[in-house]
Amino acid sequence: FSFTSFNATGPVCSLCPISTFADVLGSEACIPCPANSSTLYIGSESASLCLCPPGFFGQNNQPCQPCGLGTYKPTWGSGSCLVCPPRRTTPSVGSVNQTECVCVPGSEEVFVPGTNGTQGTEGVNCSDAENGTNCTSENGTSATNGTEGALECVCSAGWEDLGLGPESLCVECGVGRFKDSVSNSLCTQCPGNASTHTITTSDTILDCTCIAGSFAEGPGQECELCHPDSFSNQTGEQNCTSCPSFSTTGSYGGTSLDQCVCKAGYSGFRGENCTACNEGEYKETVAPGNCSLCPRGRTSLVASPSVFDCTCLPGTDPATPSLPINGSLNGTNATFNETSGNASDSCTCAVGFYRSRIVVADCFACPNHSTSPGGEVFLEGCECVYPFEGNPGLGEQCLLEAYRWRVEVY
């Protein structure tokens, strides 16, 4: 045993306390052990008796380090720390027993029949081995109901095992997936058009609700995309909201009022009521914007969705406005220039008609006994038909030559 003196008037020696030693005769003071090490008894005579305590590792007579997270060391002396079982870790450094190894986040303990030991023990007492309730570890014992087993960490509900090995950690199901069992199985994808939204560890299919742009008639029902002409800007909706009058989203799954745009044949801005195009106008796009005027000489019905709805205006004879005019494309008294065949072109006057400088959209029949080549001609283009003479462009009537002479003589 090592002693040291405490009295200057005389040698009074006492045993070195724990965590110190004296390895030289006549020592006046005991030497402290290296950091985090200690002797087991008082009166230690050698530095080699300074050992790492449980929860610490290192060489004898050397500073000891605490066991890191997920490891433990139950014995005194040199040696390494032991690793916790799969999916277990320690809440702090310096753990001394496997019982300190707890399940990592995302997993929980379940009773697994047919295996030995739990948290460093040989068996487990279970009053209900079927579901693992009331399981407690008892060193050196086996299950009281005759079924040996252990508590193992498996993935909690809402977490999954990616199959990367026994040391792999459980991971969250993530948005749009769920798992309702405590097991190492994979998570399940939410049904179509449904999601868990902000929930990343969903443990029930009831967390799967409709995404924006879809709806379901009730809980657990399959979500359907909103039809065109409607939208849904919230999650978990049971109904979609109708777009303003005469507007549409143009496709399924609208998520915003701003996606509601005017249908073809209607004008207006996003998210507002739309107005039908007037007669003589059309709009071909499903988009915000104004209606366009039909080409010159053409008109259309209210809310026309295409330029091909613009048909030629009727040409009329002021003297007999009820008489039909030939040269029509569609069987009416319109005067379409059939040589073009393009509905976006202006309508031109048929043979025998002229365009008015005042009412430029209409064609009128040339005066009696006169005709025109058709097209973009005015009254000056009407010429008297032989044997009639005159200049309709100057306001003259077309008369027979003999009759004209008599009129001039008188």
Side-chain angles (χ1 to χ4, degrees):
F1 292 99
S2 289
F3 296 85
T4 185
S5 174
F6 287 92
N7 193 328
T9 61
V12 178
C13 297
S14 60
L15 293 173
C16 288
I18 289 178
S19 297
T20 64
F21 67 94
D23 57 358
V24 177
L25 253 104
S27 296
E28 295 183 357
C30 297
I31 302 172
C33 287
N36 298 323
S37 66
S38 176
T39 58
L40 294 177
Y41 311 101
I42 61 174
S44 295
E45 301 174 348
S46 170
S48 63
L49 297 177
C50 292
L51 309 177
C52 291
F56 289 81
F57 69 98
Q59 299 299 318
N60 295 340
N61 194 29
Q62 297 292 328
C64 300
Q65 302 294 327
C67 292
L69 293 177
T71 63
Y72 65 95
K73 181 168 166 281
T75 59
W76 282 84
S78 61
S80 301
C81 301
L82 303 176
V83 179
C84 288
R87 291 206 177 93
R88 291 185 183 271
T89 188
T90 54
S92 60
V93 299
S95 296
V96 300
N97 198 295
Q98 189 182 17
T99 57
E100 297 180 62
C101 296
V102 296
C103 291
V104 296
S107 61
E108 57 187 288
E109 290 184 337
V110 295
F111 178 73
V112 181
T115 59
N116 290 327
T118 175
Q119 301 180 351
T121 66
E122 297 178 358
V124 60
N125 283 332
C126 286
S127 61
D128 185 356
E130 182 177 352
N131 56 31
T133 59
N134 300 320
C135 289
T136 58
S137 60
E138 293 291 341
N139 220 358
T141 66
S142 60
T144 57
N145 58 8
T147 303
E148 294 182 345
L151 290 174
E152 292 186 359
C153 294
V154 299
C155 295
S156 305
W159 300 71
E160 67 179 341
D161 180 3
L162 297 181
L164 302 179
E167 302 297 330
S168 65
L169 300 181
C170 299
V171 296
E172 297 178 349
C173 286
V175 172
R177 305 171 74 226
F178 70 96
K179 184 164 77 75
D180 54 11
S181 63
V182 179
S183 65
N184 287 335
S185 60
L186 295 175
C187 301
T188 302
Q189 190 73 33
C190 285
N193 304 319
S195 174
T196 59
H197 309 293
T198 59
I199 303 174
T200 58
T201 55
S202 173
D203 59 3
T204 173
I205 192 174
L206 296 180
D207 289 333
C208 296
T209 56
C210 295
I211 61 174
S214 66
F215 71 100
E217 296 180 355
Q221 300 291 320
E222 184 174 352
C223 299
E224 299 180 26
L225 293 177
C226 293
H227 291 218
D229 303 351
S230 65
F231 67 95
S232 169
N233 57 7
Q234 301 290 331
T235 60
E237 292 287 355
Q238 293 187 351
N239 295 287
C240 298
T241 303
S242 296
C243 286
S245 300
F246 306 112
S247 65
T248 179
T249 60
S251 61
Y252 286 85
T255 59
S256 169
L257 176 63
D258 286 341
Q259 290 178 274
C260 295
V261 295
C262 293
K263 297 179 180 180
Y266 294 84
S267 65
F269 299 97
R270 291 182 180 273
E272 299 181 1
N273 289 329
C274 300
T275 305
C277 295
N278 297 320
E279 290 185 4
E281 297 179 338
Y282 70 96
K283 179 169 162 284
E284 295 185 317
T285 58
V286 179
N290 298 318
C291 301
S292 301
L293 290 173
C294 287
R296 188 174 68 171
R298 294 179 179 273
T299 189
S300 63
L301 299 177
V302 173
S304 291
S306 172
V307 68
F308 290 97
D309 295 319
C310 296
T311 57
C312 290
L313 289 163
T316 58
D317 184 340
T320 56
S322 62
L323 293 178
I325 297 175
N326 296 325
S328 165
L329 175 70
N330 56 6
T332 68
N333 56 351
T335 54
F336 177 70
N337 182 2
E338 296 183 34
T339 59
S340 167
N342 189 341
S344 64
D345 289 345
S346 299
C347 294
T348 58
C349 295
V351 174
F353 292 84
Y354 69 94
R355 191 177 297 284
S356 168
R357 284 190 171 88
I358 299 175
V359 186
V360 295
D362 293 342
C363 294
F364 297 91
C366 288
N368 290 338
H369 310 302
S370 67
T371 188
S372 73
E376 294 295 323
V377 296
F378 296 103
L379 180 59
E380 293 83 351
C382 294
E383 297 180 350
C384 295
V385 179
Y386 180 82
F388 295 91
E389 296 181 353
N391 192 340
L394 298 178
E396 296 179 358
Q397 298 181 17
C398 293
L399 302 173
L400 289 172
E401 184 175 356
Y403 182 76
R404 179 187 177 88
W405 176 80
R406 290 175 60 188
V407 171
E408 290 177 354
V409 170
Y410 291 101

